[in-house]
Amino acid sequence: MTAGKARHLAVGFAVAAFFCWLIIRQLDFETFVNDLSQARIGWLVIAVGVFFTGYACRIARWRTMLLRDNPALTWGNCAGPFMASIAANNVLPFRAGDILRVFAFRRRIGVGGAEVLATLVVERLLDLLVLLMLMGGALLYFKPDTMALLGLGAGALLAIAFGILLVLLFPQVFRPLVNWGVRLLARLSPKVGAWVEGHATSVLETAIWLSKGAVMPRLLAWSLAAWLFEGLVFYSVAQSLPAIADPMGGWLALPVGTLATLIPSTPGYAGTFDYFVIQAMTSIGSTVSAATAYALLVHAALWLPATLVGGLWLVIAAPGARAPQDAS
């Protein structure tokens, strides 16, 4: 591990420890344990069920993005690598799962690394678009004191979401900027410039293809479905805890907690995700102990199933996986 990566990792753990300390210092442990012990198992089972439904939508979205380069690719062929990358991100630093998806599974899915990288970029933009829309809608509905959470109002968030939508619909406008960057790198280092030019061109061409015709509407539909099911995870977990003041608050906790994962932290976002979920739930009336119990359970519902399923695929199925080939 390089010194830079070691510093980055140390900062992440320090940030996580800080937010964990913020949680613990305000917590009444006896009340917290009591609230947690009242969780209703049925609702937690529902939460896990809708979690996997949401991830089925995410896998379908990724397959849609890969079909240009491998039309024979099936949902099942995409499911293992996708879940494995999520599991790796949950337990390893430096977004190792994303690196796995770009480089380790190319032969298994029959798509080049640059094209897979492009799908990851579009995937992140789609997720951010829907999250900002959900956040804006939640602010309009709940009207909490959110300035302490994000510092942005509903109008600003929806405006940013609209900007991201324009980027997804018209990626070709970035071609002059990409070409300029490549020429600059080529002057500094011809070898690096040539490498970047090849990959940047593939990424941009993939993004342009995804923006055309009916592809982007399908991607937007899959993205919306995926996040609505994830919202149902948050809602179901809230329903499982009698101490939660308003289970609908899960729809506020979803974008607040997920956007908080942009803050440097540990793999799995310990501390950062939980702290901001707690802030979201307490801002609409739940007690700190109830909100903390909720944050713990919803974090487990999001982290544990994906890590187990993706990890099992890596151990059992990955060595024998084969990529489908286009008959043409």
Side-chain angles (χ1 to χ4, degrees):
M1 182 186 298
T2 64
K5 286 186 175 181
R7 284 194 298 270
H8 180 80
L9 190 61
V11 168
F13 274 93
V15 170
F18 172 70
F19 280 107
C20 287
W21 173 76
L22 289 179
I23 295 169
I24 293 171
R25 68 189 289 266
Q26 61 182 348
L27 188 60
D28 181 327
F29 281 94
E30 184 176 348
T31 308
F32 161 72
V33 171
N34 181 64
D35 290 339
L36 187 62
S37 67
Q38 295 180 34
R40 293 174 285 208
I41 300 300
W43 279 106
L44 296 178
V45 172
I46 292 172
V48 173
V50 293
F51 167 85
F52 281 117
T53 306
Y55 267 74
C57 295
R58 295 176 189 274
I59 294 164
R61 178 181 65 179
W62 191 42
R63 173 181 175 268
T64 300
M65 289 191 274
L66 296 171
L67 285 177
R68 184 193 74 154
D69 297 287
N70 188 355
L73 198 58
T74 66
W75 184 94
N77 296 127
C78 296
F82 187 91
M83 295 305 298
S85 71
I86 300 300
N89 277 341
N90 283 347
V91 298
L92 298 175
F94 311 120
R95 304 295 300 182
D98 293 346
I99 297 171
L100 276 176
R101 220 185 329 165
V102 171
F103 295 106
F105 303 130
R106 288 179 296 178
R107 292 183 179 179
R108 305 189 194 287
I109 60 176
V111 177
E115 290 73 23
V116 175
L117 176 60
T119 67
L120 263 68
V121 173
V122 173
E123 183 180 283
R124 296 294 187 271
L125 289 174
L126 286 165
D127 287 340
L128 185 57
L129 167 65
V130 178
L131 278 170
L132 291 174
M133 291 172 58
L134 289 173
M135 184 68 192
L139 295 187
L140 291 173
Y141 179 82
F142 291 104
K143 296 181 174 61
D145 179 17
T146 53
M147 295 303 292
L149 297 178
L150 292 176
L152 294 172
L157 293 171
L158 294 175
I160 296 171
F162 181 71
I164 294 172
L165 179 61
L166 292 179
V167 171
L168 289 167
L169 292 175
F170 305 105
Q172 61 270 20
V173 302
F174 292 95
R175 190 187 297 275
L177 179 62
V178 171
N179 292 337
W180 175 83
V182 168
R183 288 195 300 269
L184 179 62
L185 280 174
R187 285 199 294 268
L188 297 173
S189 172
K191 184 177 181 180
V192 172
W195 184 88
V196 171
E197 181 179 13
H199 285 76
T201 300
S202 296
V203 168
L204 185 60
E205 291 301 324
T206 300
I208 292 172
W209 181 82
L210 293 175
S211 70
K212 292 180 178 179
V215 179
M216 187 53 66
R218 285 201 298 269
L219 296 179
L220 289 168
W222 281 124
S223 301
L224 184 59
W227 283 104
L228 288 177
F229 279 113
E230 189 140 328
L232 289 175
V233 175
F234 281 74
Y235 175 76
S236 299
V237 174
Q239 284 283 10
S240 76
L241 290 169
I244 290 295
D246 182 1
M248 287 295 292
W251 294 99
L252 176 63
L254 163 65
V256 171
T258 306
L259 289 170
T261 62
L262 296 173
I263 301 171
S265 184
T266 62
Y269 313 108
T272 49
F273 172 88
D274 309 277
Y275 176 79
F276 284 95
V277 167
I278 292 167
Q279 296 305 301
M281 298 304 283
T282 55
S283 73
I284 57 171
S286 289
T287 64
V288 171
S289 60
T292 305
Y294 172 75
L296 179 65
L297 286 178
V298 80
H299 202 157
L302 296 172
W303 184 88
L304 189 59
T307 304
L308 288 176
V309 170
L312 283 173
W313 186 86
L314 273 174
V315 172
I316 297 173
R322 292 290 183 270
Q325 299 297 322
D326 183 8
S328 62

